[in-house]
Amino acid sequence: MAVSVGPAPQAHAADQALPTIDFLAARADQYLEQRARAVTVDGARAFAVSTVAATDAMTRRLNAEYQQLSQLGVEYRKIDGGYSRAEVTITPNGPVSSDGATAQFSFIEETKLYHALTAEEIAEGAPEAEEYSLRHTLRFTREADGVWRLAGDSYAAGSMPPSTYMADPELDLEIPEEDAGAPDSPEGDKTEGSEPVVAAWATRNNSKESQATAGYDYSKMAAYANKHWKSYNGDWRRYDNDCTNFISQAMWAGGWKATSGSISSRKDNKKWFYGSTKLGTSYTWAGAENWYWFAHKHSKRTRILGYVGDMGLADVLQADFDRNGNINHTMIVTKSTSSNKYLTYHTPSVHNRSLKKILAKYPKALWYAHRT
């Protein structure tokens, strides 16, 4: 479909040389509201064209991305009803920086995407919305007609960007050696993976009764993730790539016990422990790949399920997005119904994202569903 670019907006009194926080916040809100609507059921009915005052280059970029989001919204509607509506909140994060010709505005976006749920899903306790929190820095330029136009949007996409962004997962996130890395000895190849098999979810066993004797409290694991998906727990250290650190905290809350360990054994995937410094913390605590080997192979605290639809509350899903043999991302199930699973994770902060939508957006990924 051809990209349609509307006429440039006219300058008005508010477009002054030094824009205020309120002025740029209004522009940011308009931009993000339209972005969020593009992937909803209403946005999926027609191609969304950007109406935000933006540079020509940014307008072309947004129109192309909104078209992709609109098409994705159509797919979401087919697989689980899609998103019925969106709500966006903007919280400024510092003063406006401007020289009269350019301006930068930093803020936190908090968006709710409401799930289109059936009566049966509501009765089963499905969450009403997917939520996420994302930090932005918007760049504006004041052009010859006096209008401040959006010129760029910088945000940390993280291991799995929110549903309203088409950015690919950041697979090359630099993870310092003190956070995670290669173990002391090679682990070999993973021989088990999990298949989606979406159509069979409703008939597969989602119960965790067989694990009741393990002594873990799955409700506490999920409750921890629900509480701290956005408000980080100050009792624990925060990592730049925080997804697996977050999952380890949830497992701890539910009864996982640390092993013995020290600086000399932190690279050993048989160990899982947290210390007062990163150098005193095992690779398996915050490294997605390392966590897999401890949880599944060495401690046998998890087993890999054959189908993602078999996951239940507090089970863990890991992704190898480019199928290169290295796990990129870790998530936890915070809500489970017979027809869908809802996952929560860090980097970025996302709460109750539909697994069916995740599978639709990342069809080439290799999945590892852990029964915890």
Side-chain angles (χ1 to χ4, degrees):
M1 181 178 294
V3 173
S4 174
V5 180
Q10 298 300 308
H12 52 81
D15 283 16
Q16 47 197 286
L18 294 177
T20 64
I21 286 179
D22 289 344
F23 174 69
L24 293 186
R27 292 283 169 97
D29 186 69
Q30 180 190 6
Y31 155 56
L32 292 175
E33 285 279 0
Q34 185 173 19
R35 173 182 283 282
R37 285 199 304 270
V39 78
T40 65
V41 171
D42 286 338
R45 291 196 178 107
F47 169 48
V49 177
S50 175
T51 59
V52 177
T55 62
D56 289 345
M58 190 65 178
T59 297
R60 287 191 293 270
R61 171 185 153 187
L62 292 180
N63 283 347
E65 191 168 0
Y66 290 175
Q67 183 177 21
Q68 290 176 301
L69 288 170
S70 180
Q71 292 168 345
L72 195 59
V74 172
E75 183 66 19
Y76 287 165
R77 188 179 185 186
K78 292 177 183 176
I79 61 173
D80 71 355
Y83 298 117
S84 61
R85 61 189 178 91
E87 292 180 359
V88 178
T89 302
I90 301 296
T91 303
N93 188 30
V96 171
S97 172
S98 177
D99 60 7
T102 63
Q104 286 197 152
F105 173 52
S106 297
F107 60 92
I108 298 171
E109 172 198 1
E110 294 184 353
T111 291
K112 282 188 175 183
L113 298 166
Y114 287 85
H115 301 297
L117 301 172
T118 65
E120 291 76 15
E121 289 170 325
I122 294 172
E124 285 191 79
E128 68 171 1
E130 169 189 328
E131 305 173 86
Y132 67 81
S133 177
L134 193 63
R135 294 178 180 273
H136 292 258
T137 297
L138 297 189
R139 301 185 307 280
F140 295 85
T141 61
R142 190 167 189 252
E143 298 189 341
D145 59 1
V147 175
W148 283 101
R149 288 186 169 83
L150 178 64
D153 179 7
S154 298
Y155 55 87
S159 301
M160 185 185 285
S163 296
T164 57
Y165 296 84
M166 292 305 300
D168 291 327
E170 294 182 9
L171 305 182
D172 298 324
L173 286 169
E174 292 187 8
I175 302 177
E177 187 175 350
E178 64 264 28
D179 294 356
D184 285 329
S185 57
E187 294 286 6
D189 296 327
K190 303 180 189 74
T191 57
E192 299 174 278
S194 303
E195 295 293 332
V197 195
V198 176
W201 283 13
T203 61
R204 296 194 180 278
N205 176 29
N206 294 313
S207 171
K208 300 192 72 169
E209 292 178 0
S210 62
Q211 288 280 312
T213 58
Y216 304 135
D217 191 323
Y218 306 113
S219 295
K220 286 185 177 179
M221 292 177 181
Y224 183 91
N226 284 323
K227 181 178 181 179
H228 294 290
W229 73 270
K230 181 178 64 174
S231 57
Y232 283 62
N233 186 348
D235 292 338
W236 302 92
R237 188 167 46 252
R238 181 173 177 174
Y239 288 75
D240 290 339
N241 189 22
D242 200 66
C243 63
T244 306
N245 174 44
F246 177 57
I247 297 307
S248 285
Q249 293 172 28
M251 296 300 102
W252 178 278
W256 277 30
K257 301 300 182 183
T259 68
S260 61
S262 64
I263 292 176
S264 62
S265 63
R266 64 189 305 266
K267 295 183 180 181
D268 186 347
N269 283 347
K270 299 180 184 67
K271 304 290 186 178
W272 182 75
F273 58 91
Y274 180 88
S276 59
T277 66
K278 288 183 177 181
L279 289 176
T281 301
S282 66
Y283 278 1
T284 58
W285 185 273
E289 176 75 9
N290 305 92
W291 190 93
Y292 168 93
W293 292 110
F294 170 78
H296 174 54
K297 178 181 178 181
H298 297 300
S299 72
K300 302 191 185 305
R301 295 184 188 183
T302 71
R303 62 183 175 88
I304 301 299
L305 300 171
Y307 303 94
V308 295
D310 285 341
M311 289 192 300
L313 189 70
D315 283 339
V316 171
L317 183 64
Q318 294 190 293
D320 176 358
F321 289 111
D322 54 0
R323 292 180 173 255
N324 71 345
N326 186 65
I327 292 173
N328 311 114
H329 188 51
T330 311
M331 304 168 274
I332 184 172
V333 177
T334 41
K335 288 287 185 179
S336 175
T337 69
S338 61
S339 60
N340 209 345
K341 316 296 161 187
Y342 299 88
L343 291 124
T344 296
Y345 55 91
H346 278 183
T347 317
S349 300
V350 177
H351 186 222
N352 287 332
R353 187 168 181 177
S354 158
L355 178 56
K356 287 185 177 180
K357 291 186 178 75
I358 291 173
L359 297 176
K361 191 170 183 181
Y362 303 105
K364 296 181 181 179
L366 181 60
W367 304 102
Y368 296 96
H370 295 257
R371 170 59 47 87
T372 55

PDB file of all heavy atoms in Angstrom, residues 101-114:
ATOM      1  N   ALA A 101      16.443  25.666  18.074  1.00  0.00           N
ATOM      2  CA  ALA A 101      16.307  25.005  16.772  1.00  0.00           C
ATOM      3  C   ALA A 101      16.028  23.520  16.927  1.00  0.00           C
ATOM      4  O   ALA A 101      15.366  22.902  16.095  1.00  0.00           O
ATOM      5  CB  ALA A 101      17.566  25.215  15.938  1.00  0.00           C
ATOM      6  N   THR A 102      16.536  22.938  18.014  1.00  0.00           N
ATOM      7  CA  THR A 102      16.288  21.533  18.313  1.00  0.00           C
ATOM      8  C   THR A 102      15.883  21.424  19.774  1.00  0.00           C
ATOM      9  O   THR A 102      16.147  22.325  20.583  1.00  0.00           O
ATOM     10  CB  THR A 102      17.543  20.666  18.068  1.00  0.00           C
ATOM     11  OG1 THR A 102      18.585  21.095  18.967  1.00  0.00           O
ATOM     12  CG2 THR A 102      18.014  20.778  16.627  1.00  0.00           C
ATOM     13  N   ALA A 103      15.227  20.311  20.117  1.00  0.00           N
ATOM     14  CA  ALA A 103      14.812  20.085  21.499  1.00  0.00           C
ATOM     15  C   ALA A 103      14.800  18.599  21.794  1.00  0.00           C
ATOM     16  O   ALA A 103      14.565  17.775  20.896  1.00  0.00           O
ATOM     17  CB  ALA A 103      13.427  20.687  21.748  1.00  0.00           C
ATOM     18  N   GLN A 104      15.084  18.261  23.031  1.00  0.00           N
ATOM     19  CA  GLN A 104      14.992  16.882  23.500  1.00  0.00           C
ATOM     20  C   GLN A 104      14.108  16.823  24.737  1.00  0.00           C
ATOM     21  O   GLN A 104      14.188  17.688  25.612  1.00  0.00           O
ATOM     22  CB  GLN A 104      16.377  16.319  23.835  1.00  0.00           C
ATOM     23  CG  GLN A 104      17.222  15.994  22.634  1.00  0.00           C
ATOM     24  CD  GLN A 104      18.374  15.080  22.953  1.00  0.00           C
ATOM     25  OE1 GLN A 104      18.827  14.325  22.094  1.00  0.00           O
ATOM     26  NE2 GLN A 104      18.874  15.105  24.164  1.00  0.00           N
ATOM     27  N   PHE A 105      13.271  15.784  24.776  1.00  0.00           N
ATOM     28  CA  PHE A 105      12.319  15.624  25.865  1.00  0.00           C
ATOM     29  C   PHE A 105      12.330  14.166  26.304  1.00  0.00           C
ATOM     30  O   PHE A 105      12.040  13.262  25.508  1.00  0.00           O
ATOM     31  CB  PHE A 105      10.918  16.032  25.395  1.00  0.00           C
ATOM     32  CG  PHE A 105       9.826  15.753  26.385  1.00  0.00           C
ATOM     33  CD1 PHE A 105       9.909  16.199  27.700  1.00  0.00           C
ATOM     34  CD2 PHE A 105       8.686  15.057  26.002  1.00  0.00           C
ATOM     35  CE1 PHE A 105       8.897  15.943  28.609  1.00  0.00           C
ATOM     36  CE2 PHE A 105       7.661  14.797  26.888  1.00  0.00           C
ATOM     37  CZ  PHE A 105       7.774  15.243  28.206  1.00  0.00           C
ATOM     38  N   SER A 106      12.686  13.911  27.566  1.00  0.00           N
ATOM     39  CA  SER A 106      12.731  12.548  28.107  1.00  0.00           C
ATOM     40  C   SER A 106      11.529  12.302  29.014  1.00  0.00           C
ATOM     41  O   SER A 106      11.122  13.187  29.785  1.00  0.00           O
ATOM     42  CB  SER A 106      14.030  12.331  28.888  1.00  0.00           C
ATOM     43  OG  SER A 106      15.152  12.441  28.040  1.00  0.00           O
ATOM     44  N   PHE A 107      10.987  11.104  28.951  1.00  0.00           N
ATOM     45  CA  PHE A 107       9.803  10.780  29.740  1.00  0.00           C
ATOM     46  C   PHE A 107       9.659   9.275  29.826  1.00  0.00           C
ATOM     47  O   PHE A 107      10.380   8.519  29.163  1.00  0.00           O
ATOM     48  CB  PHE A 107       8.549  11.391  29.106  1.00  0.00           C
ATOM     49  CG  PHE A 107       8.276  10.895  27.709  1.00  0.00           C
ATOM     50  CD1 PHE A 107       7.466   9.794  27.484  1.00  0.00           C
ATOM     51  CD2 PHE A 107       8.843  11.525  26.607  1.00  0.00           C
ATOM     52  CE1 PHE A 107       7.221   9.331  26.204  1.00  0.00           C
ATOM     53  CE2 PHE A 107       8.604  11.077  25.324  1.00  0.00           C
ATOM     54  CZ  PHE A 107       7.798   9.974  25.125  1.00  0.00           C
ATOM     55  N   ILE A 108       8.719   8.854  30.655  1.00  0.00           N
ATOM     56  CA  ILE A 108       8.388   7.438  30.787  1.00  0.00           C
ATOM     57  C   ILE A 108       6.994   7.226  30.218  1.00  0.00           C
ATOM     58  O   ILE A 108       6.041   7.915  30.604  1.00  0.00           O
ATOM     59  CB  ILE A 108       8.436   6.989  32.255  1.00  0.00           C
ATOM     60  CG1 ILE A 108       9.857   7.163  32.819  1.00  0.00           C
ATOM     61  CG2 ILE A 108       7.986   5.531  32.379  1.00  0.00           C
ATOM     62  CD1 ILE A 108       9.956   6.942  34.310  1.00  0.00           C
ATOM     63  N   GLU A 109       6.879   6.288  29.286  1.00  0.00           N
ATOM     64  CA  GLU A 109       5.577   5.899  28.732  1.00  0.00           C
ATOM     65  C   GLU A 109       5.041   4.716  29.518  1.00  0.00           C
ATOM     66  O   GLU A 109       5.735   3.728  29.727  1.00  0.00           O
ATOM     67  CB  GLU A 109       5.723   5.483  27.261  1.00  0.00           C
ATOM     68  CG  GLU A 109       4.447   4.886  26.689  1.00  0.00           C
ATOM     69  CD  GLU A 109       4.664   4.087  25.404  1.00  0.00           C
ATOM     70  OE1 GLU A 109       5.827   3.980  24.956  1.00  0.00           O
ATOM     71  OE2 GLU A 109       3.675   3.560  24.859  1.00  0.00           O
ATOM     72  N   GLU A 110       3.791   4.822  29.957  1.00  0.00           N
ATOM     73  CA  GLU A 110       3.100   3.695  30.570  1.00  0.00           C
ATOM     74  C   GLU A 110       1.823   3.455  29.783  1.00  0.00           C
ATOM     75  O   GLU A 110       0.961   4.333  29.718  1.00  0.00           O
ATOM     76  CB  GLU A 110       2.806   3.973  32.049  1.00  0.00           C
ATOM     77  CG  GLU A 110       4.077   4.076  32.883  1.00  0.00           C
ATOM     78  CD  GLU A 110       3.812   4.257  34.367  1.00  0.00           C
ATOM     79  OE1 GLU A 110       2.627   4.427  34.732  1.00  0.00           O
ATOM     80  OE2 GLU A 110       4.767   4.224  35.145  1.00  0.00           O
ATOM     81  N   THR A 111       1.749   2.293  29.176  1.00  0.00           N
ATOM     82  CA  THR A 111       0.640   1.985  28.269  1.00  0.00           C
ATOM     83  C   THR A 111      -0.077   0.719  28.707  1.00  0.00           C
ATOM     84  O   THR A 111       0.557  -0.258  29.116  1.00  0.00           O
ATOM     85  CB  THR A 111       1.153   1.829  26.826  1.00  0.00           C
ATOM     86  OG1 THR A 111       1.579   3.108  26.349  1.00  0.00           O
ATOM     87  CG2 THR A 111       0.073   1.297  25.907  1.00  0.00           C
ATOM     88  N   LYS A 112      -1.399   0.762  28.616  1.00  0.00           N
ATOM     89  CA  LYS A 112      -2.238  -0.415  28.817  1.00  0.00           C
ATOM     90  C   LYS A 112      -2.907  -0.766  27.497  1.00  0.00           C
ATOM     91  O   LYS A 112      -3.530   0.092  26.860  1.00  0.00           O
ATOM     92  CB  LYS A 112      -3.318  -0.141  29.876  1.00  0.00           C
ATOM     93  CG  LYS A 112      -2.839  -0.193  31.305  1.00  0.00           C
ATOM     94  CD  LYS A 112      -4.028  -0.111  32.263  1.00  0.00           C
ATOM     95  CE  LYS A 112      -3.597  -0.286  33.702  1.00  0.00           C
ATOM     96  NZ  LYS A 112      -4.752  -0.286  34.626  1.00  0.00           N
ATOM     97  N   LEU A 113      -2.764  -2.023  27.098  1.00  0.00           N
ATOM     98  CA  LEU A 113      -3.436  -2.546  25.915  1.00  0.00           C
ATOM     99  C   LEU A 113      -4.464  -3.569  26.399  1.00  0.00           C
ATOM    100  O   LEU A 113      -4.102  -4.633  26.906  1.00  0.00           O
ATOM    101  CB  LEU A 113      -2.423  -3.211  24.979  1.00  0.00           C
ATOM    102  CG  LEU A 113      -1.336  -2.292  24.421  1.00  0.00           C
ATOM    103  CD1 LEU A 113      -0.215  -3.119  23.790  1.00  0.00           C
ATOM    104  CD2 LEU A 113      -1.923  -1.330  23.405  1.00  0.00           C
ATOM    105  N   TYR A 114      -5.738  -3.230  26.263  1.00  0.00           N
ATOM    106  CA  TYR A 114      -6.792  -4.071  26.831  1.00  0.00           C
ATOM    107  C   TYR A 114      -7.066  -5.276  25.935  1.00  0.00           C
ATOM    108  O   TYR A 114      -7.285  -5.149  24.736  1.00  0.00           O
ATOM    109  CB  TYR A 114      -8.058  -3.248  27.042  1.00  0.00           C
ATOM    110  CG  TYR A 114      -7.935  -2.294  28.203  1.00  0.00           C
ATOM    111  CD1 TYR A 114      -7.352  -1.042  28.032  1.00  0.00           C
ATOM    112  CD2 TYR A 114      -8.350  -2.658  29.478  1.00  0.00           C
ATOM    113  CE1 TYR A 114      -7.202  -0.167  29.111  1.00  0.00           C
ATOM    114  CE2 TYR A 114      -8.214  -1.791  30.561  1.00  0.00           C
ATOM    115  CZ  TYR A 114      -7.630  -0.554  30.362  1.00  0.00           C
ATOM    116  OH  TYR A 114      -7.473   0.305  31.428  1.00  0.00           O
TER     117      TYR A 114
END
